[in-house]
Amino acid sequence: MRSTHITKPQEVQRKWFLIDAEGQNLGRISTQIAHILRGKHKPTFSPSVDTGDYVIVINAEKVTVTGRKMDQKTYVRHSGHIGKRKETTMKDMLAKKPEFVLAHAVKGMMPKNNLGRAMLKKFHVYAGSEHKHQAQQPEVLTLDK
């Protein structure tokens, strides 16, 4: 009789990956990051267990998009008060908070529950080329363009 192996949280082996976002397409890099954070690249993947790895992204300010998304895509926030809805274009957001653009794209591809929020805690984004995770000795990962 065959049985399906369900990975237990204590069995998970985690690695650290370093990704350079310079010149990468926002949507393509986001899907690949979400794939790694969920653990779908591992043979021990289980949808109900956080089997993913840690991901560090540098140079988030140099990510690219196709078409006219820089001017047309907007990020909307609302304070809850009447008339306090604010819209910001992607170009302005990349100038002010470049980490937010990539984090927002990856967050939208993760599960919308406690498990998804736990997976997002393993995701670190930096606008420049410096990061504070040298002690973890991250493995440099080159993604498909």
Side-chain angles (χ1 to χ4, degrees):
M1 181 169 150
R2 293 185 183 174
S3 63
T4 304
H5 176 73
I6 303 297
T7 305
K8 293 167 187 63
Q10 60 269 22
E11 296 174 356
V12 178
Q13 299 290 323
R14 298 197 196 281
K15 293 171 72 177
W16 285 76
F17 292 109
L18 177 67
I19 299 172
D20 189 358
E22 185 173 0
Q24 297 276 354
N25 185 303
L26 176 65
R28 293 180 195 270
I29 194 172
S30 299
T31 55
Q32 292 168 339
I33 291 169
H35 198 78
I36 294 168
L37 287 172
R38 289 202 65 194
K40 287 186 150 192
H41 63 292
K42 296 181 178 181
T44 59
F45 171 72
S46 180
S48 61
V49 178
D50 182 7
T51 59
D53 292 323
Y54 291 87
V55 177
I56 304 162
V57 178
I58 57 174
N59 292 323
E61 62 192 3
K62 298 176 183 170
V63 75
T64 62
V65 290
T66 59
R68 296 174 57 199
K69 290 184 191 81
M70 282 291 190
D71 299 317
Q72 292 180 343
K73 177 159 179 55
T74 58
Y75 295 96
V76 179
R77 64 189 191 280
H78 197 283
S79 68
H81 295 287
I82 296 172
K84 297 297 180 178
R85 180 175 184 248
K86 306 283 187 197
E87 290 187 3
T88 310
T89 62
M90 182 181 270
K91 185 186 290 184
D92 294 339
M93 192 62 80
L94 270 174
K96 291 177 190 168
K97 293 192 259 181
E99 302 93 353
F100 175 82
V101 174
L102 191 58
H104 185 266
V106 172
K107 182 180 177 184
M109 298 177 188
M110 300 299 284
K112 277 70 170 174
N113 55 23
N114 292 344
L115 187 62
R117 287 187 288 278
M119 291 174 186
L120 278 172
K121 288 181 181 173
K122 299 187 315 263
F123 181 47
H124 307 278
V125 189
Y126 297 96
S129 60
E130 297 295 320
H131 64 89
K132 59 182 180 183
H133 304 284
Q134 296 294 341
Q136 283 75 27
Q137 299 172 344
E139 178 182 325
V140 177
L141 188 64
T142 54
L143 300 176
D144 305 331
K145 282 200 173 186

